[in-house]
Amino acid sequence: MRKSLNRIKPEVRALRAYALSPDRASVKINQNENPWDAPARIKEETLRRLGAREWSRYPDFAPARLCEQLAGFAGWMPDGIIAGNGSNELIQALLMVTVALGKRVLISEPTFALYRQISTVLGGNVISVPLTSQLSYDVEALQAAVSDLKPPNNPTGCVLSDDDLSELLKSSDSLVVVDEAYHEFAEHSVVPLLRKHKNLVVLRTFSKAMSMAALRVGYLLAAPELTREIGKAVLPYNLNAISQTAAEVAIEMYQQELRPQVQKIIGERERLYGELSKVKGLAPLRSQGNFMLVRSSVDPKQIFAELLTRDILIRDVSTYPMLSEYFRVSVGTPEENGLLIKGLRSIVEPA
């Protein structure tokens, strides 16, 4: 066995695998999911269309119809879009075609762990630029270190201004990747900058605002000359017919069925921030996503464990860089948020 393991790259063996807690709870607010299921009309129309197609036939080799719809939805050109099996697949494809042995990959940390993990597996040299003490982007440090830049906003919920992003894009010809998994909740997008900056890549997902985490749909937007190359690392028939169909229906019904959910989540996010700010010993951070980080005077691991006994599952992020005093909560339904607030008060205030 030891000889077999020696065939694995030492850098890979040193990595900690990306994993989630196996714990379960009735109030599940640990994965930034939409607390409301996909609307019945979207499910019913998806099933109707699936019933009318032949299941013995492969899905579209490349989902041209879906990309046309995504182009209208996102305000970009169809040949500059790749649809994938979740945005994670597209992160992997992008890094596969850009990261070689010794290639520099610059990330702001704390951030989504897969950027470092996949870059390391591919032999990249990952360079970390910490966020500021307020957990916002350190633009000056990024500009000083820029080579390959990848600034997603999970788990902190902070955003980079368009002006600062434009300066970073102009300061280097390296690819700059912006993860817009939560753009619907921020009510803002950097997609318009794609027309000016050919080195910008934008990633999006259907897992959050679209209530489709179970179906794994994501998409990438970039200049067509980039998507042609990135697409070479995407497997054939990567998006199954069920996911393609559901994504098409979700786009068609977004304004009527899904947009109201997004607005409710934004409202609940602001209410949750206000209520947690009143709890002595807690300091929530402003967020533009459907989640927020909370600094606690009580050990986050204790918070996690005690909430779990109350049938509430949150995310302990205290092992992330700079987040030893923090936990993360997704924005739930009003009822779920009420239970969370009550639970946190009972744990933190007596301490």
Side-chain angles (χ1 to χ4, degrees):
M1 177 63 73
R2 176 62 56 183
K3 289 183 179 180
S4 298
L5 283 176
N6 287 340
R7 301 297 182 184
I8 306 298
K9 299 175 186 176
E11 297 83 1
V12 174
R13 292 178 63 185
L15 282 174
R16 181 179 178 180
Y18 182 75
L20 290 172
S21 166
D23 297 296
R24 296 290 182 266
S26 299
V27 178
K28 185 178 181 295
I29 48 175
N30 67 322
Q31 285 187 274
N32 302 348
E33 297 156 315
N34 192 318
W36 286 285
D37 194 9
R41 284 188 62 217
I42 290 178
K43 288 187 172 184
E44 290 164 3
E45 178 58 17
T46 298
L47 293 174
R48 186 192 69 78
R49 295 184 190 183
L50 286 169
R53 68 161 288 141
E54 295 178 89
W55 289 23
S56 62
R57 303 297 183 182
Y58 283 108
D60 293 339
F61 186 83
R65 173 180 164 80
L66 175 57
C67 287
E68 287 280 354
Q69 290 180 293
L70 287 169
F73 181 75
W76 190 231
M77 56 190 73
D79 57 348
I81 297 175
I82 303 174
N85 184 21
S87 59
N88 290 352
E89 180 193 26
L90 300 173
I91 292 171
Q92 183 180 55
L94 172 63
L95 294 174
M96 284 177 66
V97 301
T98 55
V99 177
L101 184 63
K103 181 77 171 182
R104 296 178 68 215
V105 180
L106 181 64
I107 61 175
S108 292
E109 286 191 309
T111 190
F112 186 35
L114 282 187
Y115 288 96
R116 173 180 287 278
Q117 182 172 322
I118 297 173
S119 296
T120 302
V121 168
L122 294 170
N125 177 21
V126 179
I127 299 168
S128 173
V129 175
L131 299 177
T132 68
S133 58
Q134 290 76 39
L135 298 181
S136 59
Y137 285 106
D138 190 334
V139 178
E140 290 185 3
L142 285 170
Q143 288 175 329
V146 66
S147 172
D148 289 308
L149 174 67
K150 302 184 169 41
N153 66 346
N154 174 28
T156 64
C158 65
V159 296
L160 191 65
S161 75
D162 285 7
D163 289 343
D164 287 338
L165 177 58
S166 293
E167 288 302 312
L168 288 170
L169 286 160
K170 289 187 290 187
S171 66
S172 171
D173 60 359
S174 297
L175 295 185
V176 177
V177 181
V178 175
D179 196 325
E180 284 198 341
Y182 305 94
H183 77 97
E184 295 95 341
F185 306 108
E187 300 185 291
H188 180 75
S189 174
V190 302
V191 167
L193 296 179
L194 285 168
R195 301 190 182 278
K196 295 181 180 179
H197 303 285
K198 303 298 185 184
N199 57 330
L200 174 62
V201 178
V202 180
L203 293 164
R204 287 183 172 182
T205 183
F206 277 62
S207 295
K208 313 302 180 182
M210 299 294 203
S211 290
M212 286 175 47
L215 299 187
R216 311 302 300 129
V217 180
Y219 58 110
L220 177 152
L221 305 100
E225 54 265 35
L226 280 177
T227 58
R228 281 194 293 271
E229 301 306 317
I230 297 167
K232 294 175 182 178
V234 175
L235 293 176
Y237 308 108
N238 65 319
L239 196 57
N240 69 71
I242 298 172
S243 297
Q244 283 188 38
T245 304
E248 292 168 6
V249 176
I251 292 171
E252 293 167 15
M253 296 188 180
Y254 177 78
Q255 289 299 331
Q256 301 90 345
E257 299 290 335
L258 293 167
R259 177 67 176 159
Q261 285 189 359
V262 170
Q263 290 302 306
K264 285 196 291 185
I265 290 170
I266 292 172
E268 278 300 300
R269 179 188 69 199
E270 297 309 303
R271 183 178 79 86
L272 184 60
Y273 174 83
E275 291 298 320
L276 293 182
S277 297
K278 299 174 186 176
V279 179
K280 186 177 180 181
L282 296 182
L285 267 62
R286 283 284 184 190
S287 171
Q288 295 299 305
N290 66 335
F291 62 91
M292 68 184 65
L293 278 179
V294 184
R295 189 173 186 176
S296 174
S297 59
V298 175
D299 185 350
K301 290 180 172 55
Q302 179 183 340
I303 296 281
F304 175 90
E306 293 201 28
L307 283 177
L308 193 58
T309 66
R310 292 165 170 81
D311 207 19
I312 301 171
L313 181 60
I314 64 167
R315 186 72 174 267
D316 175 14
V317 294
S318 60
T319 58
Y320 280 57
M322 303 177 70
L323 300 184
S324 61
E325 298 177 323
Y326 290 85
F327 60 88
R328 192 190 74 193
V329 296
S330 310
V331 178
T333 64
E335 296 76 19
E336 290 173 335
N337 295 333
L339 290 170
L340 172 67
I341 294 163
K342 181 180 178 181
L344 287 171
R345 282 187 177 136
S346 67
I347 296 167
V348 177
E349 288 186 337

